[in-house]
Amino acid sequence: VSAVVDHPECCQVPSTCDILVCTIGRSSLLKERMRVVRDLWAAGLRAEILYDSMQSPEEIQDHCKQAGILHMVILNIKDHESDMVRVRSFDKDKVVEKKVSVSDLVDCLQQKLLAGKQELSESGQSNTGKSSSMSGADEPNINKLKSGPPISVTFVPLDKLSSNNRRRYEAQILSRLQPVLQGTIAPKTVVEVVAVELQSQLVKTIAATLEFEDEDMFEESMHTLMSKQPKQKKYLSHICETIRKLKIDDEVPVSVLFSYKDDYYKLLF
């Protein structure tokens, strides 16, 4: 992988790069930057190092915008002492900066990249599809994409799914998620999909309501969700219990709630 050279006029990072690892301040922290970028590469993320440590934050930011780079990982000596880095993200004209620990950096960037890809793909999500399914959750089935991470699909249907419908919906899920996951998630990271028969608006509500910080927060948010949807309480309970196992018990890093009825999905963070 090519790196950015010292001279500003040569600082054109390839457009295939999503993340630029740089430093601000007098200390170059080159070894630390190399360690960070190796971790990102190991996770399948497209990252580069800016070797010139003399550029101002504004100059580096301009380079990122011109090259179409979405995120900067910024190291400085003060944050390094507490094992922290700063992630600066560009969303249209908005710039958002967040301080994260080095150990959480890969997860943080994967979530940001996935969320960005989902926004781009949401406009293309159609509202077609027929309803079918089974009470309770099916055993998950792991499918390997031609490129990208394997996907494990767990169906939580209303009624029993025929084998033909199940295969059709699995193909639908793979087709929808492949462009989103490719190049963002490490090839060995299994992506867990909870496939449900719900309208897209309710999928949005579930993703926005459920909290995954700990068991108590999840329980409280689940009760909030149920109180808003009393008519579907039983079905939502099955869905929430499946999600609980993945996010709370198994601590799955990447999971998706997918409506095969509306061909719509939301990432669960």
Side-chain angles (χ1 to χ4, degrees):
V1 181
S2 61
V4 182
V5 298
D6 288 345
H7 304 289
E9 62 269 21
C10 299
C11 254
Q12 294 301 320
V13 181
S15 59
T16 54
C17 171
D18 294 320
I19 304 155
L20 184 66
V21 180
C22 60
T23 186
I24 293 175
R26 295 182 179 180
S27 179
S28 69
L29 298 173
L30 181 57
K31 290 181 179 180
E32 290 76 10
R33 281 184 284 153
M34 288 296 296
R35 211 160 22 237
V36 167
V37 84
R38 279 198 297 266
D39 288 344
L40 300 180
W41 289 341
L45 300 180
R46 300 180 297 186
E48 290 281 3
I49 290 179
L50 178 65
Y51 286 107
D52 185 358
S53 59
M54 299 305 293
Q55 292 191 56
S56 69
E58 293 75 20
E59 288 174 321
I60 300 172
Q61 191 165 304
D62 286 343
H63 286 311
C64 288
K65 289 182 177 180
Q66 290 171 12
I69 297 171
L70 304 173
H71 309 283
M72 291 168 55
V73 176
I74 303 170
L75 287 74
N76 62 53
I77 193 66
K78 183 177 180 181
D79 291 335
H80 173 63
E81 290 172 353
S82 54
D83 205 30
M84 304 290 286
V85 296
R86 296 174 188 268
V87 175
R88 186 175 296 177
S89 303
F90 310 111
D91 181 10
K92 298 177 183 176
D93 294 328
K94 185 171 64 174
V95 179
V96 179
E97 185 170 296
K98 178 182 181 182
K99 187 185 287 190
V100 300
S101 67
V102 173
S103 60
D104 292 334
L105 180 60
V106 168
D107 285 345
C108 171
L109 288 168
Q110 283 180 336
Q111 290 180 7
K112 285 180 176 290
L113 289 167
L114 281 170
K117 284 189 175 184
Q118 180 177 1
E119 283 183 18
L120 291 175
S121 66
E122 271 190 352
S123 58
Q125 292 193 27
S126 62
N127 289 321
T128 59
K130 298 179 181 179
S131 61
S132 332
S133 294
M134 163 182 121
S135 59
D138 288 352
E139 288 297 314
N141 182 42
I142 296 182
N143 300 272
K144 184 68 178 73
L145 299 175
K146 292 180 181 178
S147 59
I151 293 179
S152 175
V153 182
T154 301
F155 283 91
V156 187
L158 278 168
D159 302 302
K160 187 172 183 177
L161 268 179
S162 69
S163 297
N164 286 340
N165 278 339
R166 182 187 176 101
R167 284 193 295 270
R168 178 163 61 89
Y169 289 137
E170 285 177 348
Q172 172 187 337
I173 290 167
L174 295 178
S175 174
R176 174 63 73 191
L177 294 182
Q178 182 173 16
V180 178
L181 300 174
Q182 187 175 355
T184 307
I185 302 298
K188 294 183 179 179
T189 300
V190 177
V191 176
E192 297 284 351
V193 177
V194 179
V196 297
E197 186 183 342
L198 291 173
Q199 293 182 338
S200 59
Q201 188 56 49
L202 190 46
V203 170
K204 288 181 183 178
T205 299
I206 293 171
T209 304
L210 293 181
E211 299 284 349
F212 306 115
E213 289 295 320
D214 56 42
E215 179 76 30
D216 291 339
M217 290 183 68
F218 181 85
E219 194 73 29
E220 184 178 343
S221 64
M222 186 175 72
H223 287 311
T224 300
L225 176 67
M226 302 297 183
S227 66
K228 293 178 181 178
Q229 306 291 334
K231 292 183 179 179
Q232 301 199 58
K233 186 174 180 179
K234 184 176 179 180
Y235 183 41
L236 288 177
S237 177
H238 288 309
I239 294 171
C240 287
E241 287 305 319
T242 302
I243 294 173
R244 180 208 299 272
K245 184 180 185 306
L246 293 175
K247 299 296 292 181
I248 305 298
D249 298 343
D250 299 341
E251 298 182 347
V252 169
V254 184
S255 54
V256 179
L257 183 63
F258 195 106
S259 165
Y260 51 82
K261 178 180 182 180
D262 278 0
D263 193 24
Y264 182 86
Y265 68 90
K266 290 293 285 185
L267 301 165
L268 301 176
F269 295 140

